[in-house]
Amino acid sequence: MPELPEVEAVCRSLVDHVTGRRVVRVDIRRADIVTGDAGETALLRGRRIHSIRRHGKQIALLTGDAADAPCLCVHLGMTGSLCRRLDPPDATHCHITWRLDDGSWLVFRDPRRFGGIWTFPSPSDLAAARWSLLGDDALSVTPARLYRQLQRTRRAIKTALLDQNLLAGLGNIYVDELLFRCGIHPLTPANAVSRDQARRIVPRMRTLLRQAIAAGGSTTSDFVNADGHAGVFQTRHRVYGRAGLPCRRCGAPLETIRLAGRTTVFCTTCQRATASPTVRKSKGPASGSFLRLI
DNA sequence: CACCACCCCTGGACGC
DNA sequence: TGCGTCCAGGGGTGGT
């Protein structure tokens, strides 16, 4: 499931191949995965790809910075991939294919269709409609800004960090990994995180994400970068996918709970709850188990 | 306003 | 071998 490191790995493996290339043809097999104008022109036919950008988990293919330079935003969702191919795509679920002027193909494939493509007349439209709504990118957020965002909600910190409008880039894997590395219980109210904790979270998050990018991301089922290569960071996960297994720090069996609809794995010994004046009254199994830990 | 449940969708794991 | 069931979850939406 592509999160920031996987999306960054896609961008890095793609940039040298597509930058400066002209789109000579667009094959649209499923127009319904496109939001906005789903015509070939809006999908960059005849245009030269000027640059690739990333914000959080989203990729932008730009044809320039001008107000008349159309662009695409690609979101990979759970199972999406953006791959460069030297042969025509023959796999199933290849929804959109761009033929480039060097004879290669760029293929958007997404079996589960949780991802999609958004078309915009210009980069400023993309910014206005999508990227300005997102939180800071997880690789560039400052401790002060993260602290301010966390202060605005008393949701569990895991839920808050998954919220792309609060912070862009983290998904289920890296939130669990980050909270373990910071020793923070996933049910800690976001607004109970102190300035000092925010100052510690940010560098740990950068290190985690940079290590994951260097490893090509995590491949737990089917993630591949634009060259078709899997990542290897999953071998260094400390909690994600390890429910019931011994904690790599203290040996205690890792716990699993369901939070914000996501499987959440953590160590009850190494990840402490942070006391807070704004903890809600105990109601339901989630907050109940949280209160027991204080 | 904040938050949660639900839904979208398919492939893979698993049990019989 | 084959079929049914369950599970994975990012993000949008509608309900509380």
Side-chain angles (χ1 to χ4, degrees):
Chain A
M1 51 223 67
E3 303 179 26
L4 188 152
E6 291 75 34
V7 175
E8 180 66 21
V10 169
C11 289
R12 291 186 183 187
S13 54
L14 207 55
V15 63
D16 289 341
H17 295 306
V18 306
T19 304
R21 295 268 70 86
R22 201 169 63 84
V23 177
V24 297
R25 205 175 79 206
V26 184
D27 288 335
I28 306 164
R29 300 193 193 165
R30 277 201 79 117
D32 62 345
I33 61 103
V34 179
T35 302
D37 186 343
E40 292 181 28
T41 306
L43 284 162
L44 310 187
R45 191 192 64 188
R47 296 282 179 162
R48 198 173 289 281
I49 297 172
H50 172 267
S51 55
I52 295 181
R53 284 186 207 162
R54 179 191 62 73
H55 188 94
K57 305 174 192 174
Q58 301 185 22
I59 302 167
L61 299 181
L62 305 183
T63 61
D65 298 320
D68 61 349
C71 63
L72 302 181
C73 177
V74 181
H75 194 285
L76 300 177
M78 281 286 295
T79 54
S81 63
L82 200 54
C83 275
R84 179 186 187 245
R85 296 276 168 76
L86 297 176
D87 301 309
D90 56 352
T92 55
H93 310 299
C94 294
H95 307 314
I96 308 281
T97 301
W98 297 266
R99 184 80 197 272
L100 305 180
D101 63 355
D102 65 349
S104 66
W105 281 265
L106 182 62
V107 182
F108 176 72
R109 180 170 182 268
D110 185 13
R112 219 168 290 182
R113 277 184 273 147
F114 279 17
I117 292 172
W118 286 254
T119 59
F120 297 97
S122 75
S124 60
D125 292 301
L126 163 66
R130 283 186 78 81
W131 284 13
S132 69
L133 309 179
L134 295 173
D136 288 358
D137 188 83
L139 267 182
S140 57
V141 71
T142 63
R145 286 177 65 88
L146 180 64
Y147 175 72
R148 194 182 317 154
Q149 289 289 70
L150 292 176
Q151 279 298 297
R152 294 170 54 169
T153 178
R154 61 182 191 187
R155 281 180 291 171
I157 186 164
K158 159 134 188 188
T159 309
L161 291 174
L162 283 172
D163 183 347
Q164 300 300 297
N165 298 325
L166 191 153
L167 179 73
L170 299 184
N172 202 36
I173 294 175
Y174 294 101
V175 169
D176 278 9
E177 293 298 316
L178 175 65
L179 291 176
F180 176 84
R181 283 160 170 79
C182 295
I184 296 174
H185 193 288
L187 288 170
T188 304
N191 63 359
V193 171
S194 66
R195 273 198 176 80
D196 274 349
Q197 280 181 307
R199 269 195 280 269
R200 287 193 290 271
I201 290 171
V202 168
R204 282 175 183 167
M205 179 164 66
R206 281 197 199 134
T207 300
L208 169 67
L209 295 174
R210 284 184 182 146
Q211 287 174 344
I213 292 166
S218 302
T219 298
T220 55
S221 55
D222 49 13
F223 167 73
V224 288
N225 71 12
D227 299 324
H229 295 136
V232 295
F233 193 71
Q234 66 280 4
T235 61
R236 290 157 68 185
H237 290 171
R238 299 189 188 165
V239 285
Y240 181 86
R242 300 193 66 246
L245 295 174
C247 170
R248 290 192 163 141
R249 184 180 287 159
C250 76
L254 295 175
E255 286 284 325
T256 178
I257 55 172
R258 196 107 180 133
L259 184 49
R262 307 284 178 266
T263 300
T264 301
V265 187
F266 65 104
C267 176
T268 53
T269 311
C270 298
Q271 293 174 256
R272 301 282 190 75
T274 302
S276 163
T278 56
V279 177
R280 281 173 296 160
K281 291 266 182 8
S282 173
K283 198 178 92 178
S287 51
S289 62
F290 167 65
L291 289 171
R292 276 202 303 279
L293 284 155
I294 300 184

